[in-house]
Amino acid sequence: AQAGVLIKDAAALETLEKVDTLVVDKTGTLTEGKPSLQVVLPLPGFTEAELLRFAAAAEASSEHPLARSIVTGATDRGLAPLPNVTGFESDPGLGVWGQVDGHRVLVGNLRLMEREQITAAELYALSEVLRDQGQTTVFVAVDGEPAGLVGVADAIKPSTREAVTALHAAGIRIIMLTGDNTRTAKVVGDALAIDEVVADVLPADKANVVKRLQSEGHVVAMAGDGVNDAPALAQAHVGIAMGTGTDVAMQSAGVTLLNGDLRGIAKALLLSRRTMGNIRQNLFFAFAYNTLGIPVAAGILYPFLGVLLSPMIASAAMSLSSVSVIANALRLRGAKL
């Protein structure tokens, strides 16, 4: 598929030329954003089916991609219909919780377990093995006790490696942001040769990472697809949204990749550099024509050579100036992007 790019305004195209750092969200940007359930690891006292049923019931009211994968995994394993959850609450940086069949169920990351003072040492040891395989681990606790964990994996988009290579060739430094654990994030970062990985980032902190880079003097583009990416997209010098993502992300961005193909960023970057180069060439042509033509038309050569520029020739020269600028601009249509 073609990496279609929608550029909202000239300011985004102009600024894109100066970008030296690209910050990218992982889920849905570098990866497919369609994680799938891989493993269910219950602790003694729970079966796989019981653990997954509790987790899926709690996650059923969430729109997070990880939640969707757990619910879909439970349905695929024949656990539907799922019990209803009451008292449902969520925190985008931690997880979800509520009452399922009379039990208080928490589903989320290690920070949620620590906040609720649930000892998860044995779950943490299990999670490290899965994280080394690039899986995102989701902890489950029932009635204040650890119950097990669920492993979910999100495949890297087929076009991502090619996009990263093209951006590196263009001199762009790439930084990956993710709420995932450092070990899980490092697997993806190493696979794609990402320059820097910033893991365990809460949604509210993404914009702060962009601010830090800007304070260091970098011109920053941010690419993301979710609601929680919108503040960072707005903070960046250029926001780049996935056309496959949320509306609020696209509203916050100056550039949209129509089919979510990251190769579109390299395409937009090259288009920006060529467009701005073309503008500078056209300014030179216009300046050169006027610098040479106006003095001649004013009769500067008459005292020396007796030459005057007739109005017809002057008119033709000015028309030629416009034609040369237009012809030079039209070269962009044949640019290989």
Side-chain angles (χ1 to χ4, degrees):
Q2 291 296 314
V5 182
L6 172 64
I7 299 174
K8 286 187 179 179
D9 52 52
L13 185 65
E14 181 178 355
T15 306
L16 196 57
E17 181 207 21
K18 305 180 183 74
V19 166
D20 59 29
T21 302
L22 173 66
V23 177
V24 288
D25 175 55
K26 180 177 78 71
T27 304
T29 304
L30 294 174
T31 65
E32 295 282 4
K34 299 175 182 177
S36 59
L37 181 65
Q38 302 294 311
V39 295
V40 180
L41 299 177
L43 290 180
F46 296 90
T47 65
E48 284 191 22
E50 288 172 339
L51 179 66
L52 183 56
R53 194 164 180 268
F54 276 130
E59 294 278 27
S61 298
S62 173
E63 292 300 322
H64 194 282
L66 292 181
R68 297 291 90 208
S69 69
I70 292 172
V71 173
T72 300
T75 302
D76 292 344
R77 297 188 186 198
L79 298 182
L82 297 170
N84 293 326
V85 59
T86 58
F88 174 83
E89 293 184 62
S90 67
D91 185 312
L94 299 176
V96 302
W97 53 94
Q99 295 288 128
V100 179
D101 286 343
H103 298 278
R104 178 170 167 76
V105 177
L106 291 89
V107 184
N109 57 26
L110 186 60
R111 286 194 295 267
L112 177 61
M113 300 296 119
E114 291 173 343
R115 191 189 75 174
E116 298 294 321
Q117 299 183 332
I118 296 171
T119 303
E122 49 193 325
L123 290 182
Y124 185 77
L126 288 172
S127 72
E128 292 298 274
V129 177
L130 298 183
R131 286 167 177 162
D132 286 339
Q133 299 170 6
Q135 294 187 36
T136 298
T137 52
V138 181
F139 294 78
V140 183
V142 178
D143 294 330
E145 297 294 331
L149 59 81
V150 174
V152 175
D154 189 6
I156 295 172
K157 290 180 182 178
S159 60
T160 298
R161 286 183 175 84
E162 184 182 339
V164 169
T165 300
L167 289 165
H168 278 154
I172 303 298
R173 175 188 178 207
I174 303 174
I175 299 174
M176 183 180 82
L177 291 186
T178 178
D180 273 347
N181 174 273
T182 301
R183 294 178 72 159
T184 302
K186 190 174 184 299
V187 172
V188 176
D190 289 346
L192 294 172
I194 299 293
D195 298 298
E196 182 182 341
V197 175
V198 183
D200 291 314
V201 179
L202 293 173
D205 292 334
K206 290 184 177 182
N208 292 332
V209 174
V210 174
K211 287 181 184 177
R212 173 177 62 80
L213 292 166
Q214 290 172 327
S215 70
E216 294 171 359
H218 296 289
V219 180
V220 182
M222 166 72 190
D225 74 322
V227 171
N228 55 30
D229 295 322
L233 290 171
Q235 174 64 39
H237 292 101
V238 180
I240 303 171
M242 303 296 109
T244 51
T246 60
D247 289 343
V248 68
M250 285 184 272
Q251 287 294 328
S252 302
V255 177
T256 300
L257 307 183
L258 298 183
N259 57 7
D261 189 334
L262 278 183
R263 290 175 296 185
I265 299 179
K267 187 175 183 179
L269 180 67
L270 182 57
L271 177 62
S272 171
R273 289 178 176 178
R274 293 195 175 184
T275 299
M276 297 311 297
N278 194 283
I279 288 172
R280 293 186 191 99
Q281 292 165 4
N282 287 343
L283 287 172
F284 170 78
F285 287 145
F287 183 76
Y289 271 113
N290 285 288
T291 300
L292 295 173
I294 291 175
V296 174
I300 194 172
L301 297 179
Y302 185 75
F304 309 103
L305 303 175
V307 175
L308 285 173
L309 194 63
S310 73
M312 291 181 64
I313 296 176
S315 176
M318 291 307 295
S319 297
L320 184 60
S321 170
S322 299
V323 168
S324 66
V325 167
I326 293 170
N328 188 47
L330 288 174
R331 290 192 307 113
L332 287 172
R333 296 181 64 189
K336 293 182 180 181
L337 300 175

